[in-house]
Amino acid sequence: MSDKATIKIDGKEFEFPLITGTENETAIDIKDLRAATGGIVTIDPGYKNTGSCESAITFLDGEKGILRYRGYSIEELAEKADFLEVAYLLIFGELPTSEQLGKFKEDICEQSVVDEDVRKIVDSFPKSAHPMGVISSLTSALTAFNPSSVNVNSEEDMYKAIVKILGKFPVLVAWTMRKKQGLPLDYGDCSLGYVENTYKMMFKQPNKDYVTNQVVVDALNKLLILHADHEQNCSTSTVRIVGSSHAGLFASLSAGISALWGPLHGGANQAVLEMLEAIKEDGGDTKKYMAKAKDKNDPFRLMGFGHRVYKNFDPRAKIIKVAADEVLNDLGIDDPILDIAKGLEHEALNDPYFVERKLYPNVDFYSGIIYRAMGIPVEMFTVMFALGRLPGWIAQWREMRLGKEPIGRPRQIYTGENLRSFTTIDKR
Ligand code: CMC
């Protein structure tokens, strides 16, 4: 392949370099397009064809259904790794040695105390508040308790900010859920692993001893790993673009959480369960909902189906489907919703509308069924996604800042009124 692309405008030719990544993905580098052409820009709503950065964190091949973190396949990581190991891998680029992991755990534990005044903020939310709004606000509020900005030229400063948020975020997750349930807010137990500690903080009843449930802890570990990064999706791009203005890490993460909340992104896991419940309540008529999803006059979409990048299958969904069966079996739960989900999947995979558009189940299709089996309330599902995505956001923010990327600032093509004179109000 040539190493240049030529763009012809009004008979004039302009050459731009092609850049190729380590997995042979190619992009036209148009950094100089505007200057060279005297003001012409590109337009690409939804950035369907636009790479916003070069990144060494996550590789995704949507046609082949491949997902890798730092070169390791998602299948292998989900099977063999611990969530904090994966967090370390994503953020720092290599799997930690046992010494590095031990120190990482200790440092995170050291930072897992949240200022008592944050409880007052938690208390001031109505119980009806959506947990995603609460967790986004609490993450933003952390900036008030940790006002010094991160010096990105100092490895130590960067590291401190990272372990701080990794330590405090699970506490905020647990408090967000417990506040809604009227349960006392408490701290975790650093002698437990990160995932189990989070689970304990969420579920420990004030009048009962905590008992480990290894099935649930293992499943949660897997789910968090599967959600840990997904290259330049909506929330990650948000984190990078907010951070590109040199806003702090916690502020950037809070913005990412808000982006994740939407039902077309992370909010789909809540929407899927609500959809499956509605189908159940409606007598389990999946065909009716398939017809609605295909009807262009009906805004209904089959939630948990389709993906901007995966046009074959979502490898995360494959793993989660198997895990859903295992977890429900191990916990002895017979959830009719799992059968409805499998029925819907079967119909969609054999329906020309879905086949032609390459719509397959995504990560959110089966995850809610597992969360529900664990006893996690449906409104908390997207918060669990945020907990899993946290290391990915941090890794992407760190890469962006260390790479000294310029502030994100897209162009536009203006389509409004041309210059006109102001009319005073009495004449309008
Ligand atoms: N149900 C019915 N039709 C669909 C669906 C769906 N779930 N998804 C896409 N389509 C149709 C869409 O109507 C369009 O049809 P046509 O070509 O006739 O106009 C075609 O498929 C292409 O859709 P698109 O909206 O242009 O595709 P996109 O890449 O912009 O959107 C998506 C991707 C994930 C937003 C979309 O598939 C969707 O809304 N899915 C449901 C929500 C969901 O499950 N989101 C979670 C995504 S995975 C978790 C994450 O990382 O966020």
Side-chain angles (χ1 to χ4, degrees):
M1 195 197 270
S2 142
D3 59 353
K4 286 198 173 56
T6 309
I7 299 179
K8 201 169 173 183
I9 306 167
D10 269 348
K12 255 185 151 180
E13 288 193 352
F14 303 92
E15 274 197 342
F16 298 96
L18 293 181
I19 58 168
T20 305
T22 46
E23 291 286 346
N24 292 325
E25 299 162 296
T26 304
I28 307 171
D29 178 350
I30 55 153
K31 269 200 280 307
D32 299 326
L33 174 72
R34 197 168 172 276
T37 57
I40 294 178
V41 297
T42 55
I43 192 151
D44 185 19
Y47 310 117
K48 291 190 179 194
N49 308 279
T50 299
S52 58
C53 60
E54 290 178 54
S55 178
I57 301 171
T58 289
F59 172 65
L60 201 168
D61 183 329
E63 270 68 39
K64 297 196 185 123
I66 293 174
L67 174 61
R68 293 182 203 141
Y69 301 158
R70 302 280 189 188
Y72 295 97
S73 81
I74 192 64
E75 289 79 9
E76 211 180 357
L77 290 171
E79 190 57 41
K80 300 181 183 161
D82 168 81
F83 177 60
L84 267 199
E85 262 182 307
V86 172
Y88 189 100
L89 170 72
L90 283 167
I91 299 168
F92 301 111
E94 294 296 338
L95 285 168
T97 61
S98 61
E99 211 171 88
Q100 286 167 329
L101 186 61
K103 176 167 178 350
F104 193 45
K105 279 184 180 161
E106 251 173 53
D107 294 337
I108 289 171
C109 167
E110 203 58 41
Q111 290 297 337
S112 63
V113 175
V114 174
D115 194 298
E116 280 295 296
D117 281 347
V118 175
R119 280 176 197 260
K120 293 184 196 149
I121 303 178
V122 176
D123 276 340
S124 63
F125 284 104
K127 274 205 179 116
S128 59
H130 193 285
M132 280 300 277
V134 175
I135 196 87
S136 165
S137 309
L138 293 178
T139 307
S140 185
L142 283 185
T143 56
F145 295 86
N146 302 273
S148 67
S149 66
V150 185
N151 174 6
V152 297
N153 298 314
S154 152
E155 267 300 324
E156 197 192 334
D157 229 38
M158 284 287 249
Y159 182 79
K160 262 192 203 152
I162 290 166
V163 291
K164 215 176 241 180
I165 190 65
L166 284 170
K168 295 185 198 315
F169 199 74
V171 181
L172 301 182
V173 168
W175 284 6
T176 298
M177 184 177 108
R178 294 176 76 93
K179 154 78 188 180
K180 230 175 149 48
Q181 298 175 329
L183 288 168
L185 310 184
D186 208 347
Y187 283 104
D189 174 352
C190 279
S191 67
L192 301 174
Y194 189 80
V195 175
E196 182 164 15
N197 186 26
T198 306
Y199 176 73
K200 181 181 172 187
M201 275 192 285
M202 290 172 76
F203 287 103
K204 163 93 177 68
Q205 294 297 311
N207 54 348
K208 284 185 195 156
D209 284 338
Y210 164 76
V211 184
T212 305
N213 186 332
Q214 206 51 45
V215 173
V216 169
V217 172
D218 290 347
L220 191 52
N221 183 60
K222 190 174 277 193
L223 281 173
L224 295 178
I225 290 174
L226 292 172
H227 285 89
D229 195 45
H230 213 234
E231 51 119 298
Q232 308 312 316
N233 55 82
C234 179
S235 57
T236 302
S237 302
T238 302
V239 169
R240 285 184 87 124
I241 206 162
V242 173
S244 77
S245 75
H246 294 190
L249 173 61
F250 303 162
S252 306
L253 293 172
S254 166
I257 295 169
S258 297
L260 185 73
W261 190 359
L264 297 190
H265 191 11
N269 58 11
Q270 174 175 341
V272 168
L273 209 97
E274 287 167 352
M275 174 187 78
L276 295 173
E277 267 298 337
I279 298 176
K280 192 182 107 195
E281 293 303 306
D282 210 5
D285 187 356
T286 48
K287 296 220 161 31
K288 177 174 159 190
Y289 286 83
M290 288 287 290
K292 272 166 78 60
K294 292 188 284 182
D295 180 355
K296 290 291 169 200
N297 297 315
D298 189 327
F300 176 79
R301 280 191 165 198
L302 201 56
M303 299 313 285
F305 260 78
H307 198 275
R308 170 59 62 78
V309 185
Y310 292 122
K311 300 299 175 195
N312 184 329
F313 63 89
D314 181 337
R316 304 167 301 174
K318 268 194 171 176
I319 302 171
I320 294 182
K321 185 180 177 185
V322 175
D325 269 327
E326 284 169 5
V327 173
L328 268 62
N329 265 341
D330 285 346
L331 296 177
I333 294 173
D334 182 17
D335 191 339
I337 269 186
L338 182 58
D339 296 329
I340 294 178
K342 285 183 179 169
L344 262 183
E345 179 184 348
H346 180 75
E347 280 177 45
L349 294 183
N350 290 293
D351 188 300
Y353 174 98
F354 287 87
V355 174
E356 278 158 23
R357 288 169 181 75
K358 299 186 164 118
L359 302 170
Y360 293 85
N362 59 48
V363 69
D364 292 321
F365 195 63
Y366 286 103
S367 61
I369 294 173
I370 308 185
Y371 287 139
R372 182 156 100 153
M374 290 172 178
I376 297 175
V378 68
E379 282 198 326
M380 282 294 293
F381 289 2
T382 317
V383 173
M384 301 313 290
F385 190 152
L387 177 66
R389 185 56 54 88
L390 189 65
W393 287 331
I394 296 170
Q396 300 270 353
W397 175 87
R398 181 175 180 272
E399 180 180 69
M400 181 273 307
R401 288 304 312 271
L402 291 178
K404 310 231 179 309
E405 280 180 23
I407 185 167
R409 204 300 187 187
R411 292 272 174 177
Q412 62 163 24
I413 295 296
Y414 176 69
T415 58
E417 297 288 346
N418 294 119
L419 180 66
R420 47 184 174 164
S421 309
F422 180 78
T423 322
T424 53
I425 197 155
D426 54 313
K427 300 214 174 87
R428 277 176 231 156

